[in-house]
Amino acid sequence: MMEYWNHRIMPRWQAGILGHKSDDRPPIVSLFHYSIIPLLLILAGAGCGPQQADLLKSPQTPLVWPEPPEQPRIMYLGAVSTESDMEKRGSFLEGVGAMLFGAKPVGILVSPYAVAVDPTGIMYVADTGGAVVHAFDLRTRDYRQFCALDQETKLLKPVGLITLAERLYVVDSSLRQVCVFKRNGDFLFAFGQDRLTRPAGIACRTAEGTIYVADAGSHMIHVFNHEGKLLKEMGMRGTDPGEFNFPTHLWVDAAGQLYVSDTLNYRIQVFGPDDRFVRMFGQQGDRPGNFAHPCGIATDQAGNVYVTDRQFENVQIFDTQGRILMALGQEGNGPGEFWLPAGIFIDGRGRIYVADSFNKRIQIFELLKEAEP
């Protein structure tokens, strides 16, 4: 701490920032200035204050779906669009630093397209417009962002991401590769450059470390191990079971089943742990259960399937057999409303995270345990 004052504060003080007269005389630093330094150090050493409450908590007036008098099943918790939404209380020393040297730039979501939350509560967001990955720690309220692959290369268009062990796998559609980072944002390696043409989504079977990448350009799913070695390829362009037409987002459920958002076939395809076709549901249309532009996909602990639709501006929820249960949201910019929703993620606590792309935010909901869809 003394090193901070010796190297950051005192040089500026001595240079006249805190006490220099307009003439050429030496800077005048009063006894008060020197006497307050120990007090500042004591206050700084006192820590960051009391522990902060959970950032996401039930609102006083709950916003739920479906609306009364139906039994509520999903509740709105909040939204994150900038680093400021974390409402982190800075330390005293950080406050002094901001006052003296200016506040640091605030991280802002530009066009969030995919979201994933690791077991420690860090929410990672692939931002296609900002060309970065944002990391919001929902527990400590810390924030960081990263994009560098090396000194010259950066992410261009991250469209999907997953966490696996201590790594973060990010799909970049412009670089046509999967970029692998440490959880702290340090780049490790990339793979898929020789196979991928327009990668659009990613999922993993955690127990085996198997990585699935949806390639909208080649209309197939590429399967890699966790080190990037190609294992096999699934599908081709077509409309038959096991064939795809611009596949985008992927998800693997707790049973090891792979879900594919077969976007321009307007359906969801499901494959078993052996990667064999199991079933599919959905068709083009404007009735409940139909699709106009299916995108993000996820499942909850009960096996229900959640699908975002970028034209319906909502999330449709289906049972394990693909039968429609309910819909969440509509077009707009208020709580629970969407503008081109994309990726979706459901964590082990039953919290639902939706990348609300053109509203530049991640909306967060909670599945009410006493009443699952």
Side-chain angles (χ1 to χ4, degrees):
M1 194 171 296
M2 284 301 300
E3 182 180 357
Y4 176 88
W5 282 93
N6 290 337
H7 290 85
R8 295 293 303 275
I9 305 299
M10 289 305 296
R12 288 186 172 228
W13 211 324
Q14 294 168 354
I17 292 179
L18 298 181
H20 207 308
K21 294 284 188 175
S22 59
D23 54 25
D24 294 330
R25 288 177 296 174
I28 298 175
V29 181
S30 69
L31 180 61
F32 169 77
H33 290 140
Y34 281 115
S35 64
I36 201 174
I37 293 178
L39 176 60
L40 295 178
L41 293 177
I42 292 172
L43 292 173
C48 298
Q51 185 176 2
Q52 300 179 112
D54 188 0
L55 179 66
L56 302 173
K57 56 186 177 181
S58 304
Q60 291 184 345
T61 303
L63 178 60
V64 297
W65 292 263
E67 296 179 355
E70 298 292 330
Q71 183 178 19
R73 300 175 182 274
I74 295 174
M75 179 172 63
Y76 175 80
L77 290 182
V80 174
S81 58
T82 76
E83 178 185 357
S84 299
D85 293 330
M86 303 302 286
E87 300 178 357
K88 182 179 180 181
R89 298 177 190 151
S91 68
F92 179 81
L93 206 57
E94 289 172 334
V96 172
M99 180 175 62
L100 297 176
F101 311 121
K104 65 183 181 66
V106 175
I108 298 175
L109 297 181
V110 179
S111 183
Y113 193 77
V115 57
V117 181
D118 73 10
T120 69
I122 299 177
M123 180 177 72
Y124 296 94
V125 180
D127 190 335
T128 58
V132 300
V133 172
H134 304 267
F136 299 89
D137 193 321
L138 302 179
R139 182 177 55 86
T140 66
R141 306 194 185 190
D142 289 323
Y143 167 85
R144 65 181 182 277
Q145 63 174 245
F146 51 90
C147 62
L149 307 186
D150 54 42
Q151 292 183 348
E152 298 181 355
T153 309
K154 297 180 179 181
L155 293 173
L156 296 179
K157 193 175 183 180
V159 294
L161 42 71
I162 56 168
T163 63
L164 178 61
E166 295 303 315
R167 294 176 174 178
L168 182 71
Y169 293 74
V170 181
V171 172
D172 192 300
S173 63
S174 292
L175 293 176
R176 298 186 297 178
Q177 63 186 23
V178 178
C179 305
V180 185
F181 298 85
K182 293 181 180 179
R183 295 285 184 93
N184 64 4
D186 291 342
F187 175 70
L188 294 173
F189 62 93
F191 64 87
Q193 303 93 322
D194 58 339
R195 291 283 181 174
L196 303 175
T197 58
R198 187 181 159 193
I202 188 170
C204 67
R205 187 169 288 127
T206 304
E208 305 167 2
T210 305
I211 308 293
Y212 296 86
V213 180
D215 193 338
S218 63
H219 309 282
M220 64 174 58
I221 309 298
H222 302 270
V223 186
F224 302 88
N225 69 10
H226 68 283
E227 295 297 335
K229 178 183 178 181
L230 181 68
L231 301 178
K232 61 181 176 181
E233 295 170 332
M234 300 169 55
M236 57 184 294
R237 190 169 196 177
T239 58
D240 290 337
E243 298 178 345
F244 308 105
N245 190 23
F246 292 94
T248 54
H249 290 245
L250 305 175
W251 179 267
V252 173
D253 68 11
Q257 295 187 117
L258 173 68
Y259 294 75
V260 181
S261 187
D262 190 7
T263 300
L264 292 190
N265 275 330
Y266 309 99
R267 65 189 182 187
I268 302 299
Q269 295 200 58
V270 185
F271 300 82
D274 58 359
D275 296 332
R276 294 185 179 180
F277 174 81
V278 175
R279 62 185 177 276
M280 60 186 180
F281 62 89
Q283 63 182 16
Q284 186 177 19
D286 57 8
R287 299 170 61 99
N290 294 160
F291 295 119
H293 191 126
C295 195
I297 185 167
T299 60
D300 63 23
Q301 292 183 342
N304 298 311
V305 186
Y306 297 64
V307 184
T308 65
D309 195 299
R310 289 173 71 79
Q311 289 195 31
F312 288 162
E313 316 283 7
N314 69 3
V315 180
Q316 294 192 88
I317 306 172
F318 302 83
D319 68 11
T320 56
Q321 299 305 309
R323 294 172 295 216
I324 185 69
L325 296 174
M326 60 175 287
L328 166 65
Q330 61 184 4
E331 183 177 357
N333 55 22
E337 298 176 340
F338 304 102
W339 190 6
L340 294 181
I344 185 171
F345 184 90
I346 302 177
D347 67 14
R349 301 174 61 180
R351 288 182 169 176
I352 305 163
Y353 305 78
V354 181
D356 189 7
S357 295
F358 271 42
N359 279 327
K360 305 178 186 297
R361 64 187 178 183
I362 302 296
Q363 292 204 67
I364 305 171
F365 306 84
E366 187 168 58
L367 181 63
L368 300 178
K369 297 179 180 179
E370 63 271 18
E372 296 179 340

